Amino acid sequence: MLGAVLALGSVSCTTGPAGDSMETVFGMAPAGPDGTASAPAILGQQTRSLTIRDIVRASFEIAKDDLQPCLNADRRARLASLQPIKIIDAKKLHVLSVYEPQSRTITISELTWRNFAFAAMSEKLAEIDNRFDVEWRTRYRLFLRNKDAFDDVQSPVQMAGLPKGWIGAEVSSELVRHLMEEAQYNATFVLAHEYHHHLEPVARQTGESVSAFRQRLREHELAADRFAMDMMLCRSVIERSLDPMVEVPQLFFDWILMLEGKQHALSAETHPLDHHRARNAANYLIQKLQLLSPSPDRLEMIGVTRELVKVADDIDREGPSVFFGGINEEAKTVTRDSLRFR
């Protein structure tokens, strides 16, 4: 069960220490007359000098622009008061993003997003080298889950022990574009979720008990996920493609496998369990997709999303402590040396 579940996740977003360039992370070989490879135009840099932080920052800027057509004039005006997105270098903050109502700021945990990018990178690398097979990628994800100090984690290329220059410049540029696309779609979902918190603030009512207020906060999180799903559906309609929606189940797969049970205890008081959020979002997505005209792509999307519901049901059936206890024990057995290619 564990291997099958881990193999389902194909990851999402991106970021990493500001000093880790793409050349360092990918082991890229310089090419071309100036010794560099070109990056997507939105980034305005050469791939060789890019950092993963550049990618995540650009992806949120793109997501912000892409959400504009999906928001009415009133919502756009209210969102204008938001401060610029803040990316923090949190070593042990196991969250994707946080909305701070007092400062009207959305904060992104950089190192958490970096690990999501690394997992996504391993999926793409499997198309280049068959040594990045399902077994290796499963063990790599277990290693990511087991590391509390995120700055102690390296990219798949580095963990495999591949030499600098292993990836050519052309492939490196394609890899950056792949991460950029995934980051854009996932940033759209996360940003829309945080937008909902800003647009529909929750305050404790007079005479309301602490437990009742916390329950409302948990329900508010589910509502924010559904709002984000509507925004993703809007983007899919605009792009005439299901590609944005495909990333949502993958985001939740890795969210469960890499983060559930690792967040700060306060998170459980205000947020549903991650796999409950995943099931809520998946069922909502299935409901929406079933309203659309049937097509092979949509039927496949429904099938993938139902797998996410099944995973959440399996966790409840086995019990989260037992389910993740087994994952945690297996994660402890994965060493750096075991991930190096022989």
Side-chain angles (χ1 to χ4, degrees), residues 2 45 56 67 79 84 99 102 126 136-137 171 214 217 284 306 312:
L2 173 59
Q45 299 184 45
V56 74
L67 284 170
L79 288 169
Y99 171 64
Q102 290 78 16
W136 191 94
R137 298 197 309 270
V171 174
R214 287 175 177 169
L217 287 174
Y284 188 72
R306 281 180 175 153

Side-chain angles (χ1 to χ4, degrees), residues 129-163:
D129 190 324
N130 59 15
R131 289 178 294 178
F132 290 102
D133 57 15
V134 171
E135 180 184 355
W136 191 94
R137 298 197 309 270
T138 297
R139 289 187 291 112
Y140 180 63
R141 277 188 172 82
L142 287 170
F143 185 85
L144 292 178
R145 178 179 177 85
N146 191 45
K147 302 305 290 184
D148 280 332
F150 282 6
D151 54 352
D152 191 35
V153 175
Q154 295 180 323
S155 76
V157 172
Q158 294 166 314
M159 292 297 290
L162 295 171

Side-chain angles (χ1 to χ4, degrees), residues 13-26 28 37 39-40 42-59 87 110-111 113-114 117-118 121 172 175-177 179-180 183:
C13 309
T14 44
T15 172
D20 284 356
S21 68
M22 295 292 100
E23 182 179 28
T24 299
V25 170
F26 295 155
M28 179 189 116
I42 184 67
L43 295 169
Q45 299 184 45
Q46 299 298 319
T47 303
R48 188 177 182 182
S49 61
L50 280 175
T51 67
I52 302 183
R53 175 175 285 204
D54 293 328
I55 292 181
V56 74
R57 189 177 297 281
S59 69
I87 302 177
E110 179 177 1
L111 294 180
W113 283 64
R114 181 200 68 184
F118 284 169
M121 189 189 302
S172 294
L175 197 52
V176 170
R177 287 181 174 85
L179 292 180
M180 188 74 202

Side-chain angles (χ1 to χ4, degrees), residues 53-330:
R53 175 175 285 204
D54 293 328
I55 292 181
V56 74
R57 189 177 297 281
S59 69
F60 272 90
E61 288 301 316
I62 294 170
K64 183 178 177 181
D65 291 340
D66 286 345
L67 284 170
Q68 291 299 304
C70 300
L71 299 162
N72 61 32
D74 176 65
R75 283 175 169 168
R76 288 198 297 269
R78 290 161 63 192
L79 288 169
S81 66
L82 280 172
Q83 298 300 308
I85 291 172
K86 181 169 63 175
I87 302 177
I88 59 172
D89 182 17
K91 298 276 191 261
K92 295 187 178 182
L93 181 60
H94 301 287
V95 297
L96 290 177
S97 61
V98 175
Y99 171 64
E100 302 165 353
Q102 290 78 16
S103 61
R104 302 190 305 281
T105 302
I106 296 171
T107 300
I108 307 301
S109 174
E110 179 177 1
L111 294 180
T112 302
W113 283 64
R114 181 200 68 184
N115 281 13
F116 276 72
F118 284 169
M121 189 189 302
S122 72
E123 297 293 324
K124 190 66 175 177
L125 288 171
E127 300 175 12
I128 303 170
D129 190 324
N130 59 15
R131 289 178 294 178
F132 290 102
D133 57 15
V134 171
E135 180 184 355
W136 191 94
R137 298 197 309 270
T138 297
R139 289 187 291 112
Y140 180 63
R141 277 188 172 82
L142 287 170
F143 185 85
L144 292 178
R145 178 179 177 85
N146 191 45
K147 302 305 290 184
D148 280 332
F150 282 6
D151 54 352
D152 191 35
V153 175
Q154 295 180 323
S155 76
V157 172
Q158 294 166 314
M159 292 297 290
L162 295 171
K164 186 175 181 180
W166 175 78
I167 298 180
E170 182 177 348
V171 174
S172 294
S173 296
E174 178 60 30
L175 197 52
V176 170
R177 287 181 174 85
H178 169 73
L179 292 180
M180 188 74 202
E181 183 176 81
E182 288 205 348
Q184 288 173 35
Y185 292 148
N186 287 290
T188 301
F189 181 88
V190 170
L191 187 59
H193 174 98
E194 301 302 347
Y195 274 1
H196 184 268
H197 289 317
H198 179 73
L199 294 168
E200 305 291 341
V202 178
R204 187 176 176 185
Q205 300 171 353
T206 302
E208 184 178 28
S209 67
V210 172
S211 61
F213 178 50
R214 287 175 177 169
Q215 178 58 31
R216 272 202 309 123
L217 287 174
R218 288 190 285 270
E219 292 171 354
H220 186 63
E221 290 296 327
L222 298 178
D225 285 340
R226 292 191 293 270
F227 176 81
M229 200 70 71
D230 284 336
M231 295 298 99
M232 293 295 286
L233 283 165
C234 168
R235 180 167 179 175
S236 290
V237 170
I238 291 172
E239 295 189 6
R240 298 181 181 275
S241 168
L242 278 179
D243 286 351
M245 296 308 306
V246 169
E247 297 304 323
V248 177
Q250 293 173 348
L251 170 62
F252 274 106
F253 277 128
D254 275 351
W255 198 333
I256 290 170
L257 296 169
M258 294 166 65
L259 292 182
E260 180 152 8
K262 294 171 67 70
Q263 296 96 325
H264 194 282
L266 288 176
S267 177
E269 297 180 356
T270 59
H271 290 64
L273 295 173
D274 290 338
H275 68 281
H276 289 171
R277 289 182 62 183
R279 181 165 50 212
N280 168 75
N283 282 329
Y284 188 72
L285 174 56
I286 291 170
Q287 176 187 348
K288 292 289 186 179
L289 289 172
Q290 288 175 333
L291 296 175
L292 303 174
S293 300
S295 70
D297 285 347
R298 286 170 186 159
L299 291 175
E300 182 180 359
M301 182 73 193
I302 290 173
V304 170
T305 308
R306 281 180 175 153
E307 287 297 317
L308 179 56
V309 175
K310 184 178 182 297
V311 168
D313 290 344
D314 287 344
I315 294 172
D316 276 339
R317 186 162 40 251
E318 191 170 343
S321 60
V322 175
F323 185 91
F324 290 107
I327 288 181
N328 290 336
E329 286 303 310
E330 189 163 346

